[in-house]
Amino acid sequence: MDLSLADVEDRVADHVEAYRESAPFHPVEAEAIGSLSDAFRAGEYGKRDVDWVVRWYFRRAVTDIDHEERRAVEAAVADTEPRELRGAMWDAIDALDEEAADGARDPPHRRALDALTQIPGVDTEVGSALLWFLEPDEYFVVGEREWAVVAALTGDARSGADLDGPYPEPMTVDAYDRFLDGVRDLADRLGVDHWHLYMVIRSVHAETVDGEATAEES
């Protein structure tokens, strides 16, 4: 992806507005990002709220969904007993809220992802979506589009992120950690929170990658 931070810095507001106007899930996403964290932490949610996050992870891609994978994951989560699902969510919340007793312990989000991936069908990628809706100001959803843009915009020496190379398949927790470093660096440099950064990233990808593909086809 031929892109630099300078290409984006002066157009943050434009990218946010472009996403708001074009993304089919934006109204529901905006409501969920503002409410699900509190609902999950209060236990005031139903199984369908977790199902929604899982469906959102796949269906936001719109054009390049692996429907076989999507159906398998959605079915596995939907078939999970509510007690098992809520137990995994509580374990993840406890992990995020628990102070590390010493430097040898895994970071909170690693323990949270370990809990979330105990849900049948949930891997690190889908777990990252649940993690983001649990604590949207600290974490971020990972996918090929997010990885590509963050890698392109944090490729200078100043950033500590190391996202060179192809998208990891399967996504590992170590790779997610590197991605998260890039996300936090990029959010700081653009002066946005993670929700607005998500909108910027998706708009940048649509404009650069998807736009170039459309131009080549025409």
Side-chain angles (χ1 to χ4, degrees):
M1 180 181 289
D2 185 14
L3 187 68
S4 71
L5 190 64
D7 296 327
V8 178
E9 283 179 309
D10 294 333
R11 299 188 57 219
V12 168
D14 293 338
H15 283 302
V16 169
E17 186 60 27
Y19 182 84
R20 286 173 172 159
E21 292 180 353
S22 62
F25 298 119
H26 173 261
V28 181
E29 288 173 328
E31 180 180 354
I33 207 72
S35 64
L36 276 185
S37 177
D38 289 341
F40 285 145
R41 288 175 174 275
E44 297 173 351
Y45 67 95
K47 190 168 179 291
R48 64 183 180 180
D49 293 306
V50 178
D51 290 341
W52 179 87
V53 176
V54 174
R55 291 196 304 270
W56 170 83
Y57 180 80
F58 290 100
R59 301 183 189 203
R60 69 205 173 96
V62 182
T63 58
D64 53 357
I65 304 172
D66 182 332
H67 289 287
E68 184 175 351
E69 178 187 8
R70 173 187 63 77
R71 285 191 292 267
V73 173
E74 290 177 0
V77 175
D79 290 342
T80 303
E81 290 293 327
R83 183 188 296 268
E84 181 182 356
L85 189 148
R86 289 177 74 89
M89 294 291 287
W90 281 126
D91 287 346
I93 291 167
D94 287 344
L96 294 176
D97 291 345
E98 188 179 80
E99 292 291 334
D102 58 68
R105 297 190 64 186
D106 285 338
H109 72 273
R110 279 181 165 251
R111 300 195 303 276
L113 280 172
D114 183 61
L116 293 169
T117 53
Q118 299 306 305
I119 300 171
V122 174
D123 58 9
T124 300
E125 291 175 308
V126 178
S128 77
L130 289 165
L131 181 65
W132 189 39
F133 281 98
L134 279 171
E135 203 159 310
D137 293 334
E138 291 295 324
Y139 303 108
F140 209 81
V141 62
V142 66
E144 292 188 46
R145 297 182 181 197
E146 290 82 18
W147 181 282
V149 176
V150 174
L153 296 180
T154 59
D156 57 25
R158 173 180 165 181
S159 173
D162 179 16
L163 304 182
D164 291 339
Y167 182 75
E169 293 185 8
M171 174 60 61
T172 65
V173 176
D174 286 341
Y176 179 73
D177 283 352
R178 292 187 284 115
F179 170 75
L180 192 58
D181 286 342
V183 164
R184 289 169 172 168
D185 176 72
L186 188 56
D188 286 344
R189 294 168 76 173
L190 293 179
V192 294
D193 62 20
H194 285 189
W195 168 228
H196 284 83
L197 179 62
Y198 177 79
M199 291 190 278
V200 170
I201 286 172
R202 299 294 288 196
S203 174
V204 166
H205 191 280
E207 184 177 280
T208 56
V209 178
D210 296 344
E212 289 174 2
T214 301
E216 289 175 0
E217 292 171 359
S218 60

